[in-house]
Amino acid sequence: MKKTLICGSLAYDNIMVFNGRFREQILPEQIHILNVAFLVPEMRREFGGCAGNIAYALHSLGGHAEIMATVGEDGIPYLDRLDAQGLSRQHVRKVPGTFTAQAFITTDMDDNQITAFHPGAMGQAHLNEVGHAENIGLGIVAPDGRDAMIEHARQFANANIPFIFDPGQGLPMFDGDDLKQFLSLATYACVNDYEAQMLCDRTGQTLEQLAEQVAALIVTRGGEGAWIFTGGQRIDIETVQPEAIIDPTGCGDAFRGGLLYGIANGFDWQKSGRLASLMGSIKIAHAGPQNYQIKFEQIAQRFQAAFGETL
């Protein structure tokens, strides 16, 4: 079976909890000389990045995921994790003199967050080329370095490999003409509802008009489910009740892993969307983007219970 090439970031998420409230520490009348420090007794490091998260979800389903990404000189723990998970790192490039991309996230008791993100090796992701991967039948261009996203989209299109354009948090890097170019190259596009509005604003087009340019436009809507625009119609995808709501980080990536599995296996759009929705509900019940452990058989049982059809 052909592989799915996942182009995007590998990153460390450094998550810290401040047992107080930012609003009690930041003085509004003194923000012009802001100098604050927060004691964070709780801290954890998670393996993240869109490529890693999507690949993890697809691999959990038994899909054939191939990651194309970059790490820095501190990337050995992530590479070791990929080995332990049975995920190929053949196309993960180690960039000398850089750190692996990472986010430093501090959350207070009101769930407010202050985040700093260092792209590091991600800025060199354009050095990877789609053509270097073999036996690829499907792809995704997920958030990554700007040049990498542009080049990988072109390379997928030139190789006649169908792919999803998934701009995510990288969308603000592109203007309306850039986004139109991506859509002209992509087979599918997937965004959340906030990104969908930004996509419409920057291109000057409605969702329905944007959907005409791809085989399917998928819009995730959090707890409201998802929309799939295809063939001039809109398919509404329902949510799946999660076992618990612990951490939404990585839910969108789990959704995309399910979506890729459905496309690769020839599912219709409703079934693909439902599987994607289920994967998101499984992820949200666990802290961190890659800490749920589930096998295809268990996913199939949950799918049957949720939708009354076999997977």
Side-chain angles (χ1 to χ4, degrees):
M1 186 175 181
K2 291 200 170 187
K3 301 174 184 177
T4 297
L5 185 64
I6 302 170
C7 299
S9 62
L10 293 179
Y12 294 123
D13 293 333
N14 301 281
I15 302 167
M16 296 158 281
V17 177
F18 170 53
N19 294 321
R21 292 173 171 80
F22 294 145
R23 59 183 170 83
E24 296 173 353
Q25 304 294 320
I26 299 174
L27 304 176
E29 67 276 10
Q30 298 295 323
I31 57 174
H32 64 291
I33 52 170
L34 187 65
N35 186 357
V36 295
F38 304 106
L39 178 66
V40 287
E42 297 179 48
M43 176 176 171
R44 70 180 192 273
R45 170 176 276 194
E46 301 285 0
F47 295 97
C50 294
N53 298 344
I54 295 169
Y56 184 87
L58 181 57
H59 185 69
S60 297
L61 280 160
H64 299 271
E66 188 76 37
I67 297 172
M68 180 165 280
T70 51
V71 295
E73 293 183 352
D74 59 342
I76 297 300
Y78 211 137
L79 298 179
D80 289 345
R81 175 179 172 79
L82 295 179
D83 290 341
Q85 294 293 329
L87 282 162
S88 169
R89 55 178 171 110
Q90 180 180 358
H91 301 292
V92 178
R93 178 188 293 263
K94 186 177 178 183
V95 182
T98 68
F99 289 105
T100 301
Q102 47 199 297
F104 299 86
I105 306 163
T106 304
T107 303
D108 74 358
M109 292 296 96
D110 291 331
D111 287 330
N112 296 308
Q113 289 187 332
I114 296 175
T115 300
F117 181 75
H118 174 66
M122 196 176 78
Q124 302 299 315
H126 59 279
L127 298 176
N128 292 323
E129 295 184 20
V130 168
H132 291 165
E134 298 179 350
N135 195 33
I136 303 300
L138 178 64
I140 183 168
V141 174
D144 208 348
R146 174 186 165 84
D147 292 343
M149 293 179 71
I150 292 171
E151 290 303 318
H152 293 157
R154 289 174 180 164
Q155 291 163 13
F156 274 126
N158 290 339
N160 293 316
I161 298 173
F163 75 96
I164 297 175
F165 172 51
D166 170 29
Q169 64 265 35
L171 196 153
M173 295 189 295
F174 305 106
D175 62 22
D177 290 338
D178 293 330
L179 295 169
K180 289 177 184 177
Q181 178 67 13
F182 275 118
L183 292 171
S184 73
L185 297 173
T187 318
Y188 321 100
C190 187
V191 292
N192 65 26
D193 44 4
Y194 181 84
E195 295 154 3
Q197 185 59 56
M198 185 179 294
L199 189 61
C200 291
D201 291 344
R202 295 204 171 185
T203 60
Q205 298 180 2
T206 65
L207 286 175
E208 290 77 11
Q209 290 171 326
L210 293 169
E212 293 175 357
Q213 301 170 48
V214 288
L217 171 63
I218 301 94
V219 180
T220 62
R221 306 171 58 237
E224 301 300 316
W227 291 332
I228 300 179
F229 297 86
T230 182
Q233 63 176 330
R234 191 187 83 188
I235 301 171
D236 291 354
I237 303 298
E238 57 268 64
T239 57
V240 178
Q241 183 66 33
E243 293 183 342
I245 299 177
I246 303 297
D247 180 9
T249 307
C251 286
D253 295 328
F255 182 101
R256 284 150 178 78
L259 195 67
L260 287 165
Y261 185 89
I263 295 171
N265 286 276
F267 293 178
D268 62 34
W269 283 111
Q270 184 176 63
K271 190 170 186 177
S272 294
R274 284 176 164 179
L275 175 58
S277 180
L278 174 61
M279 292 301 293
S281 77
I282 291 170
K283 205 311 308 165
I284 202 170
H286 299 80
Q290 298 179 28
N291 292 329
Y292 57 100
Q293 297 180 4
I294 192 164
K295 300 297 183 183
F296 179 84
E297 293 75 15
Q298 297 168 296
I299 296 170
Q301 290 172 1
R302 293 198 188 187
F303 190 88
Q304 174 79 39
F307 303 111
E309 62 174 320
T310 59
L311 188 55

